[in-house]
Amino acid sequence: MLSRLSRPRALAVCALPVVALFAVAGLAPLPYAIAQPGSTADVLGKDNGQEVITISGAPVRPTEGQLRMTTIVATGPSTDVDLGDVADAWFRTDRAVLPKNSVYPSGKSDAEIEKRNLGQMKESQDAATLAALGYLKLDPEKVKVTLNLADVGGPSAGLLFSLGIVDKLDGDGSGGDLTGGRIVAGTGTIEPDGSVGAVGGVSLKTQAAARDGATVFLVPKAECSDAQAELPDGLRLVPVTALSDAVASLRALEQGQESKVPAC
């Protein structure tokens, strides 16, 4: 049949299955999630009218400046992502294409994943409290810390929670603010011993931080290269491996001791 058609018509007929195949591929869901910069929150401030950090059993000092924890927003585990979505995100600096199984555990519903993320946040808050009180040599049996931050899950705010507790209780250790009055942002998990761990989406979190006015970003040292990938102008990266590193760097910045502040 094709031999009786003119060459242009024959090519057109042959192309139809290929076009159909690409059309199906373009609409088929792919195993990816699309992430973008999310919200930030000042742990020294309020969330929904409540103080994010409330402390009893020890004197609390007023603070200046901000300590902003950062987030990313990703398409949900049940959201279909097609070829067009991936292609669009691939060429944008404010989007990231991630394997879905690196963002969400497989076989879990949206509700199960939300419950898991909230559980990780609670564990992170407990570890942040122990790390901060341990750093300040305060008895966790006598000093009670309550952390309140709605609609945020996962463990990556741990470092910022610890720094907020330290700032409210001790500042820079000499009567000043740990932030030096700046807007400081960052990310990082934390263990009760104060060690800081890596997180995901750092290059997106730096964009969220800059958007919300931060000039300093605390980043787990292992993720320096990721943070530098799309670093916004005017945002200074400070690598950390432990709570003590972060406190020392912020104190040095506050006191103008630039040579004591590490860089990526």
Side-chain angles (χ1 to χ4, degrees):
M1 177 181 176
L2 291 180
S3 62
R4 299 175 185 174
L5 299 175
S6 65
R7 180 177 176 80
R9 292 187 65 187
L11 290 175
V13 171
C14 291
L16 284 176
V18 178
V19 172
L21 179 61
F22 275 104
V24 171
L27 296 174
L30 299 174
Y32 296 107
I34 307 298
Q36 64 187 71
S39 62
T40 72
D42 177 20
V43 301
L44 297 175
K46 294 183 178 182
D47 180 61
N48 291 332
Q50 288 185 299
E51 294 287 339
V52 175
I53 300 174
T54 304
I55 302 172
S56 59
V60 176
R61 56 183 299 280
T63 59
E64 300 267 340
Q66 299 178 18
L67 286 169
R68 303 196 76 88
M69 54 82 65
T70 55
T71 68
I72 63 171
V73 177
T75 51
S78 62
T79 301
D80 289 340
V81 173
D82 60 32
L83 185 60
D85 298 322
V86 171
D88 175 67
W90 194 264
F91 295 101
R92 294 179 59 166
T93 59
D94 62 344
R95 297 288 189 274
V97 180
L98 306 171
K100 188 173 286 189
N101 60 12
S102 74
V103 181
Y104 303 111
S106 60
K108 300 292 184 181
S109 67
D110 290 20
E112 288 172 325
I113 290 172
E114 182 180 5
K115 182 178 180 180
R116 170 180 173 268
N117 287 343
L118 292 176
Q120 288 181 328
M121 170 63 90
K122 179 63 169 61
E123 292 174 2
S124 174
Q125 291 175 341
D126 293 343
T129 298
L130 291 174
L133 295 182
Y135 173 81
L136 296 172
K137 296 179 171 54
L138 295 174
D139 187 349
E141 296 297 321
K142 295 181 180 182
V143 179
K144 181 180 178 182
V145 178
T146 301
L147 300 173
N148 169 69
L149 191 59
D151 302 323
V152 176
S156 66
L159 172 61
L160 272 294
F161 280 134
S162 285
L163 289 170
I165 295 168
V166 171
D167 200 13
K168 280 180 171 280
L169 289 171
D170 193 51
D172 67 354
S174 302
D177 291 292
L178 193 57
T179 62
R182 298 177 177 84
I183 299 178
V184 176
T187 190
T189 65
I190 200 158
E191 297 297 326
D193 66 359
S195 58
V196 173
V199 296
V202 170
S203 65
L204 298 176
K205 291 179 179 180
T206 57
Q207 294 178 55
R211 178 199 66 208
D212 291 351
T215 56
V216 175
F217 191 91
L218 303 171
V219 60
K221 187 175 181 179
E223 295 184 295
C224 267
S225 60
D226 291 342
Q228 290 173 314
E230 300 293 344
L231 187 65
D233 292 339
L235 187 64
R236 177 175 187 166
L237 293 178
V238 177
V240 298
T241 59
L243 174 61
S244 56
D245 293 345
V247 173
S249 292
L250 290 179
R251 283 178 174 171
L253 280 174
E254 195 270 337
Q255 295 164 6
Q257 299 175 333
E258 298 288 325
S259 63
K260 293 185 177 180
V261 183
C264 283

